[in-house]
Structures are given as C-alpha cells and as structure tokens.
Amino acid sequence: MAKILRVSYTVFLFFIVALASFAENENHDNSEMASEEESFDALGMIMHHISDSHYWHIISFEKKDGSHTEISLPLPVILLHDGTLSVFMSSEFHHGESVVKKGDSYFKLYHDKIYFTNSEGEIIKDEEGHPVNEKPLDFSITKNVASMWMSALIILGLFITAARKYKGSPSMPTGVQSFLEPLITFVRDDIVVEQLGEEKADKYMPYILTIFFFIWVNNLIGMVPVFPGGSNVSGNIAFTSILALFTLILTNINGSKTYWKHIFAPPGIPTPIKVMLVPIEIVSIFTKPFALMIRLFANITAGHIIILSLASLMFVMKTYYIAPLSVGLSLFMSMLELLVGLLQAYIFALLSALFIGMAVKEEH
Amino acid sequence: MYTAIGLGLIVIGAGIGIGSIGKGAMEAIGRQPEATSKIQTAMIIAAALIEGVALFAIVLAWLVA
C-alpha cells in the first residue's frame, strides 16, 4: 500500500511539474537586432535556443540556391479560447507564416508565442515593438514539456529496472542497479539522514530523491547538443518555481510548533526587537524557496548562454583563427556544466532537506 | 553600461565571499581531515547562500536594465 502511494505521489509530482511548464515566461523581442541581413545575430540565436518553443528543432541549413530550410518536429498545440479547446499540430503555423483559423478565431505564431489576430494575421505592435494582440490560454505540449516527459520516462525506466532487482533474495548489484545504488545511498546518508535525522528520513526520502534525480537528468539532457536534447528545461523559471513551491509547501505544512514559535514569537528577545524581527522572519519563509528557484534557473541558463556565446564567437568575429579558442573554451565550459548540473541538483536537494529539517525539528 | 558595472561589483562581492569560505574550509580540513565531509557540506551550504544573494542581484540588474 505504502509503495503504491509512493509511486502515485511521484507520478503526481511529475504531472504537476509538467502542467506548470505550460506557463511560459516572457522573452524579449529582438527583431530590431536582425535588421542587417549580413551580420550574425548572436543574441537572437541564444535567446531562441534557451527559450521554449512550439517546434522541436532538429537542424536548419541553407541550400545551394540560398533558400533557408528548417527541419523540426511539430508539437501539439492546445489552446483554450472562448470556452472551447482547440487542438492541432504546430506545423499548421508553418513557422509563423500562416494564420490558423479555429472556430471564429484566427491565430498566429509570432516569436514562439500564439496571438489572436484578424483574418490577415496582423500583429499590432506598441512603440517598443512588443505585440499588443490578445493571447489565448496556451496549454501546448511545448519543447520543454516534451523534453521533461522524456526525462521522466528515462528516470522511470532506470528506477523500475533497478527496483525490480531488489525483489527476492539479496544478491550482488548488477547493471543499472550498481550505478544507482551508490547514488541513492549517497542521497539518503549525506543529504536526507544528515539533515532530517534517522526517524524522519523515510518520510522525506521520496521527495528529495525525486527532485535530485529529476533536476540532474534534466540538466544532463540540456547539455546534449543534438536533437532529443538541448532544451533548456531546468533553466526555465516556471519549472524551477514549481519545484521550489513544493519545498515551500512541504516546509510549512510540516512545520513544528517550535518552527512557528521562532517566527512569530522568538523566545528570549525583548519586544521592541521582536517588532523588527518578526517581519523579517515572515519574509524569510518566502525568500528561501525563492533563492532556490533563482539559483537553479540562473545557473543553468547562464551555462547555456556561455556555451552558445563561445560557439558563436567565430561568426561574430568572422575569422577561422578564433576557432581553436572557441572550441577549446566550449569544451571546457561543457565539462564544467556537467559538474554544475550535478552540483545544482545536489544543492537543490540539500537545501530542500535543510529547510524541511529546520522546520520539523522539535524543541530540544 | 551601469548594469555592466553593477554586475562586475556583484561578482567581486560574491567572489570574495565564496573565496573566504573556501579558505576557511580548507584550513579546517587541514586541521581536522577526519571531519572533511561535514565541513564540505557546511561549506557548500554557506557558499550556496552567498551565491543566492549574488543571483538575486544579477536578476534585479537584468530586470532594471
């Protein structure tokens, strides 16, 4: 029974995180940067690569006659407008060139966002170049969502395979089990038991293990430069904010009497100082998960930006002589990012365990 | 341009902070090698908290720019 609960809890976690990533964050419109056709728009390329998309880009190239060809996997678009749900593939947009008519509404894709338009597909812009058209509620399976489901399937596959081997009489770990067992015992002994203590560890093990492996696998998939990888899932603020929200909720619903007392009535402190201290303590309930959110988002996004900037050095400087530097530094940064991917998963799990541990601690 | 100067100042501050944590941890490990794992955990937590402040500042700098 407990096992079924644990499995359904994990599935529920993935589901909520998946839903949350439907909400996309705003990205800036860099259309003015691309005005000169010859100059390479590094910022636009980088922003395109780190932001979410309705296509899963595979490869784009220029044919001999100069026409630009882009091969990408279309993804399902799910829109809620005027109480109706429209489901279609993003290939109907033809990379933003076509207007799609569903019911009485017309939609157009503009810089990876879907807008209501008139039948001509006009996008009206304000002085700063931002579109002012209304947006429908967008529940699409975007690149980030699809990539996250892929990593969820990878984790499920690995862990179910490993878990099956623990049935029956104990034997030497083999295969994927011998890879995962040290990692799981590391999370248990060095993160959960250390911060929460032996008796409370079992309750929070599933959560800490799940966020550790989910963040790590998503970080690693983000480092794969070719097709099924390369999406910036853990560098998406919606993704990290939901993970941080889980920590916030778990910390506060499990908070002991001591935890709340230390926030609202810190013992042994004179009243005038309490007046100053209590608001700070209340704010710090929210700043701790907020820092978790920003830390993961900023670290992973910064890593992607740096690697892409190094890769575009050659095109910005228009010389081959920079290539050794560009490739060497990219290699170095990629290696560093592999470490950072693990380190950030570890820090997220460790700090989550620490915050929960501080909250559940009883009076000593 | 002011954003760039601000970002530089943020990095200097965070660098000094994390650097002195690393120094302290290394000295502590040198004195007590058997407590290495505990010192490392505490070091990473302290470094992560400083990094958190620096990242807040960087995000604010982006938003203001």
Side-chain angles (χ1 to χ4, degrees):
Chain A
M1 188 61 205
K3 196 182 159 195
I4 295 169
L5 271 177
R6 213 169 293 163
V7 170
S8 51
Y9 169 75
T10 313
V11 171
F12 171 75
L13 185 77
F14 284 136
F15 184 68
I16 295 288
V17 173
L19 269 182
S21 269
F22 286 126
E24 293 176 27
N25 49 335
E26 289 289 321
N27 63 337
H28 297 289
D29 177 15
N30 298 311
S31 58
E32 281 149 45
M33 301 288 294
S35 50
E36 290 171 63
E37 70 273 20
E38 269 303 301
S39 73
F40 173 70
D41 175 19
L43 186 64
M45 184 276 281
I46 290 170
M47 291 318 279
H48 175 75
H49 272 268
I50 63 170
S51 56
D52 205 355
S53 169
H54 286 282
Y55 294 91
W56 205 332
H57 181 256
I58 298 171
I59 192 169
S60 57
F61 53 89
E62 230 160 68
K63 280 189 188 152
K64 280 220 173 106
D65 57 358
S67 63
H68 189 76
T69 313
E70 199 168 318
I71 299 171
S72 53
L73 193 71
L75 294 164
V77 176
I78 304 162
L79 299 176
L80 187 65
H81 58 98
D82 318 318
T84 53
L85 204 63
S86 299
V87 182
F88 54 96
M89 295 305 280
S90 65
S91 50
E92 284 188 38
F93 284 119
H94 294 101
H95 293 278
E97 280 158 25
S98 312
V99 185
V100 176
K101 184 174 189 288
K102 293 286 160 195
D104 298 328
S105 311
Y106 295 91
F107 299 105
K108 192 160 194 237
L109 190 69
Y110 179 75
H111 280 262
D112 282 328
K113 297 269 188 298
I114 295 169
Y115 296 95
F116 283 116
T117 58
N118 53 15
S119 55
E120 260 88 69
E122 241 181 298
I123 298 277
I124 304 146
K125 291 179 198 157
D126 61 8
E127 297 98 61
E128 286 166 17
H130 297 298
V132 292
N133 295 42
E134 294 273 310
K135 275 192 253 177
L137 276 176
D138 190 353
F139 295 96
S140 309
I141 314 293
T142 55
K143 187 174 83 173
N144 278 357
V145 178
S147 175
M148 196 161 49
W149 286 356
M150 188 178 74
S151 55
L153 285 178
I154 291 172
I155 294 172
L156 279 178
L158 283 178
F159 276 78
I160 288 170
T161 319
R164 279 219 187 98
K165 296 194 177 162
Y166 288 96
K167 279 182 183 157
S169 59
S171 56
M172 282 286 282
T174 51
V176 67
Q177 184 191 9
S178 55
F179 172 68
L180 288 174
E181 197 178 292
L183 289 168
I184 294 170
T185 49
F186 165 74
V187 173
R188 187 191 64 196
D189 296 339
D190 284 2
I191 299 178
V192 185
V193 171
E194 183 134 335
Q195 304 298 337
L196 287 148
E198 285 281 352
E199 68 271 29
K200 292 205 178 83
D202 282 352
K203 188 177 168 189
Y204 299 102
M205 256 308 265
Y207 175 64
I208 304 293
L209 262 184
T210 308
I211 51 173
F212 177 78
F213 282 100
F214 195 46
I215 293 172
W216 189 28
V217 169
N218 274 317
N219 287 346
L220 289 184
I221 284 176
M223 291 303 301
V224 178
V226 290
F227 163 58
S231 51
N232 187 20
V233 179
S234 41
N236 184 315
I237 195 115
F239 173 85
T240 58
S241 66
I242 292 301
L243 290 180
L245 189 70
F246 278 122
T247 301
L248 174 71
I249 292 170
L250 272 178
T251 310
N252 287 294
I253 61 170
N254 293 309
S256 64
K257 212 188 266 174
T258 327
Y259 170 72
W260 291 110
K261 205 171 115 191
H262 275 269
I263 288 172
F264 288 107
I269 287 170
T271 320
I273 296 178
K274 261 186 203 170
V275 175
M276 280 179 354
L277 210 59
V278 170
I280 295 172
E281 287 283 347
I282 292 170
V283 170
S284 82
I285 297 175
F286 300 100
T287 52
K288 281 187 258 174
F290 190 76
L292 275 184
M293 168 182 97
I294 298 291
R295 179 176 302 114
L296 183 59
F297 161 72
N299 268 291
I300 303 303
T301 306
H304 280 246
I305 290 175
I306 291 169
I307 290 173
L308 289 168
S309 312
L310 289 172
S312 54
L313 263 184
M314 230 180 328
F315 305 103
V316 173
M317 297 193 162
K318 295 201 179 77
T319 165
Y320 287 122
Y321 297 114
I322 201 79
L325 188 72
S326 169
V327 172
L329 284 176
S330 297
L331 182 69
F332 170 72
M333 278 312 296
S334 300
M335 291 296 129
L336 194 68
E337 284 304 306
L338 288 180
L339 175 70
V340 167
L342 176 61
L343 194 68
Q344 290 306 318
Y346 169 65
I347 286 177
F348 199 108
L350 178 71
L351 289 178
S352 292
L354 183 83
F355 295 153
I356 296 169
M358 286 198 302
V360 299
K361 208 183 284 165
E362 297 294 335
E363 193 124 36
H364 35 257
Chain B
M1 193 191 81
Y2 293 116
T3 317
I5 295 172
L7 287 173
L9 289 175
I10 295 164
V11 172
I12 289 173
I16 292 173
I18 294 178
S20 55
I21 291 169
K23 173 173 171 276
M26 276 179 203
E27 282 172 359
I29 291 171
R31 276 201 208 106
Q32 250 182 316
E34 66 277 6
T36 304
S37 67
K38 273 191 174 172
I39 292 166
Q40 268 172 350
T41 311
M43 177 188 80
I44 286 174
I45 291 170
L49 293 176
I50 289 181
E51 195 196 41
V53 175
L55 292 172
F56 277 147
I58 286 173
V59 168
L60 277 178
W62 269 340
L63 290 179
V64 171

